[in-house]
Amino acid sequence: MRLHRNLCFAVIDGLTQVFNEEQYADKVIQQLLKRDKRWGARDRGFVAETTYDIVRWKRLYAEIAEVKAPYNRDNLWRMFAVWATLKGIKLPDWKYFEGTPTRKIKGRFDELSKIRTFRESIPDWIDEIGLKELGESKWTKEIAMQNQQADVILRVNTLKTTKEKLQNILFDLDIETEFIKGYPSALKLTKRANVFVTEAFKNGLFEVQDASSQLVADFLDVKPGMKVVDTCAGAGGKTLHIASLMQNKGQIVAMDIYESKLKKLKIRARRNGVHNVDLKVIDSTKPIKKLHNKADRVLIDAPCSGLGVLRRNPDAKWKLEPEFIDRIRVTQQEVLQQYSKMVKSGGKLVYATCSVLPSENQNQVQAFLKSESGAEFTFVKDKKVLAHESGYDGFYMALLERKA
């Protein structure tokens, strides 16, 4: 592989924004990819994947390069040199790479790979919490899997097409997919491709949604004609899945504290041909109180640490703080207490997170069931999804039923 100056400069600019300006990697990369209209798919792929790679392995690369935050451009070029050397890419004779100790880099990498926090490139505190909650064996495998690049998984919009039809449409566009056993609406890409530019996407035949995330709507056990509330709907990946399972019949109330996210959901719903969704911003307790005892099904896709989806958001490792996890556990219990009141008698509730920590998952459910509000519910079942066991994102979901 030959390194091209303009592509490498784009990566360095992106890293500056992610590491020093606290910007989100996915947003930064979206901007970078619009930088030069002449870039082909390969160029854009290089910029996106290299930026993500260096973000993912920041701690390891910084240690090998002997640089400390905040990183100036010279520091970032040194980290880039480490990345290239470890990938076996020949460094061009640019001034940024003068005196790069190639052999020392490889030796240092072998040495540091014996220590989990460097090998998996994570902060000490995340390692400690993972170890404490999952144990040595599970945590070691889980955090290793969280550093693997995630597959691209599509969820077929069954309101508009079938899995077989969509597979054929994509095949004609040279995009090969395969079915995944146990995931009725999923298609996995065998090779990465930009599916967002296809007519099939623009016509709402599919959404990009990880396989684990697709389990949640199924878990909710919805039927056409029900009244369903998605309490933390965000941009609506699960809302749209619920709508397709309900065959567009009945009513879904999609709620969120962020109006901007619901606006995105509105656009996506239109593209998906979904017309049984009402959007509600949670700007006070009023919208929740209005729905007390009204819903057949309530989904609480609770805010969480996101430790089950680090493969997709590698920069989260560096943005998360221990205090945030303490605060989020309080929030999780609050939303369970408040939003569970919307479930009518005999109705069902799913509590879900994209975390792998029991303290955010089964412990929260147990604490809720022991509380006054929770006394009205019975535990039906739960599912713990670990990335190293499933091959997909880490997730948790619990199904509770309100006593009739």
Side-chain angles (χ1 to χ4, degrees):
M1 182 200 273
R2 252 186 78 223
L3 294 176
H4 298 279
R5 239 176 241 268
N6 62 341
L7 301 178
C8 296
F9 272 110
V11 171
I12 297 296
D13 290 346
L15 294 172
T16 303
Q17 290 172 285
V18 177
F19 293 155
N20 296 347
E21 295 163 26
E22 290 294 304
Q23 295 191 36
Y24 288 100
D26 58 343
K27 301 276 186 291
V28 168
I29 287 166
Q30 272 172 20
Q31 290 306 114
L32 286 179
L33 297 185
K34 291 175 186 158
R35 186 184 259 200
D36 193 329
K37 288 195 167 67
R38 293 165 305 180
W39 286 351
R42 212 159 159 192
D43 299 330
R44 288 199 298 273
F46 173 84
V47 171
E49 284 173 30
T50 307
T51 307
Y52 268 131
D53 238 9
I54 298 174
V55 168
R56 182 173 281 120
W57 303 107
K58 176 181 92 160
R59 183 172 186 183
L60 177 65
Y61 292 173
E63 187 71 17
I64 295 173
E66 296 174 344
V67 297
K68 284 193 163 51
Y71 308 110
N72 60 31
R73 288 184 82 81
D74 286 345
N75 295 160
L76 293 172
W77 279 111
R78 286 183 68 144
M79 286 163 78
F80 187 97
V82 169
W83 169 84
T85 302
L86 293 173
K87 287 265 186 235
I89 297 165
K90 190 173 181 297
L91 293 173
D93 52 1
W94 302 345
K95 63 175 184 183
Y96 314 107
F97 301 135
E98 276 169 13
T100 299
T102 313
R103 280 176 64 187
K104 191 181 161 195
I105 286 173
K106 289 175 178 160
R108 199 82 182 93
F109 172 78
D110 292 340
E111 215 175 290
L112 289 167
S113 293
K114 293 171 187 150
I115 306 160
R116 186 174 48 233
T117 48
F118 288 113
R119 180 178 70 242
E120 305 305 349
S121 194
I122 42 172
D124 290 341
W125 73 269
I126 289 186
D127 191 51
E128 283 157 20
I129 201 170
L131 206 55
K132 184 180 149 202
E133 295 208 19
L134 291 178
E136 180 91 35
S137 166
K138 262 188 185 166
W139 173 245
T140 301
K141 290 179 200 154
E142 187 63 14
I143 196 60
M145 187 60 176
Q146 289 295 349
N147 276 322
Q148 301 301 312
Q149 192 181 39
D151 291 312
V152 180
I153 312 285
L154 313 180
R155 180 183 57 74
V156 180
N157 178 10
T158 51
L159 294 173
K160 290 196 168 190
T161 189
T162 64
K163 207 157 56 165
E164 291 75 15
K165 278 183 191 159
L166 179 63
Q167 189 174 49
N168 290 332
I169 291 167
L170 293 173
F171 185 77
D172 291 341
L173 301 170
D174 289 329
I175 298 172
E176 286 193 41
T177 59
E178 54 190 41
F179 295 174
I180 320 174
K181 199 175 170 218
Y183 300 85
S185 304
L187 281 178
K188 178 162 106 176
L189 265 61
T190 55
K191 201 164 96 231
R192 297 184 89 73
N194 184 0
V195 290
F196 297 113
V197 296
T198 62
E199 285 303 309
F201 176 74
K202 290 170 189 166
N203 294 332
L205 303 190
F206 67 86
E207 289 288 332
V208 174
Q209 185 181 5
D210 185 77
S212 297
S213 174
Q214 293 186 35
L215 295 170
V216 178
D218 280 326
F219 215 68
L220 195 57
D221 183 31
V222 295
K223 305 273 186 298
M226 281 183 169
K227 186 182 182 89
V228 178
V229 183
D230 186 351
T231 61
C232 311
K238 297 179 187 73
T239 314
L240 299 173
H241 190 188
I242 291 167
S244 70
L245 293 171
M246 290 169 70
Q247 297 161 25
N248 244 341
K249 294 169 187 149
Q251 184 199 14
I252 303 170
V253 182
M255 311 178 89
D256 205 274
I257 55 172
Y258 299 108
E259 191 173 6
S260 58
K261 290 185 177 179
L262 292 176
K263 281 181 178 161
K264 283 182 189 158
L265 169 49
K266 193 176 183 179
I267 295 162
R268 289 173 79 185
R270 199 176 301 140
R271 190 179 64 237
N272 277 252
V274 166
H275 44 68
N276 65 337
V277 175
D278 293 329
L279 308 176
K280 289 257 188 306
V281 182
I282 304 175
D283 47 10
S284 67
T285 54
K286 212 184 278 172
I288 298 158
K289 282 180 177 159
K290 270 190 176 163
L291 288 163
H292 278 188
N293 305 308
K294 297 270 188 356
D296 296 292
R297 299 284 184 271
V298 169
L299 171 60
I300 302 175
D301 184 15
C304 69
S305 63
L307 287 180
V309 292
L310 291 178
R311 301 189 302 164
R312 295 176 192 287
N313 311 309
D315 52 328
K317 297 191 279 195
W318 318 120
K319 289 184 168 61
L320 270 178
E321 288 167 345
E323 303 75 44
F324 173 80
I325 296 200
D326 293 335
R327 284 199 305 274
I328 212 71
R329 289 191 196 111
V330 174
T331 306
Q332 287 163 348
Q333 197 54 231
E334 282 169 358
V335 296
L336 256 171
Q337 296 289 341
Q338 286 174 27
Y339 299 168
S340 59
K341 293 185 170 76
M342 294 189 257
V343 183
K344 71 184 193 192
S345 126
K348 290 175 184 174
L349 161 81
V350 164
Y351 171 81
T353 77
C354 54
S355 172
V356 293
L357 300 179
S359 62
E360 295 184 75
N361 297 335
Q362 51 268 46
N363 299 10
Q364 289 289 16
V365 172
Q366 283 157 13
F368 169 69
L369 290 169
K370 284 177 189 156
S371 72
E372 202 180 326
S373 318
E376 296 181 34
F377 286 82
T378 50
F379 174 84
V380 181
K381 58 178 178 173
D382 68 356
K383 193 172 182 69
K384 308 169 190 75
V385 185
L386 292 171
H388 77 272
E389 291 170 352
S390 68
Y392 307 108
D393 289 347
F395 248 85
Y396 175 78
M397 55 211 82
L399 179 67
L400 309 177
E401 189 168 357
R402 188 162 187 176
K403 294 167 186 169

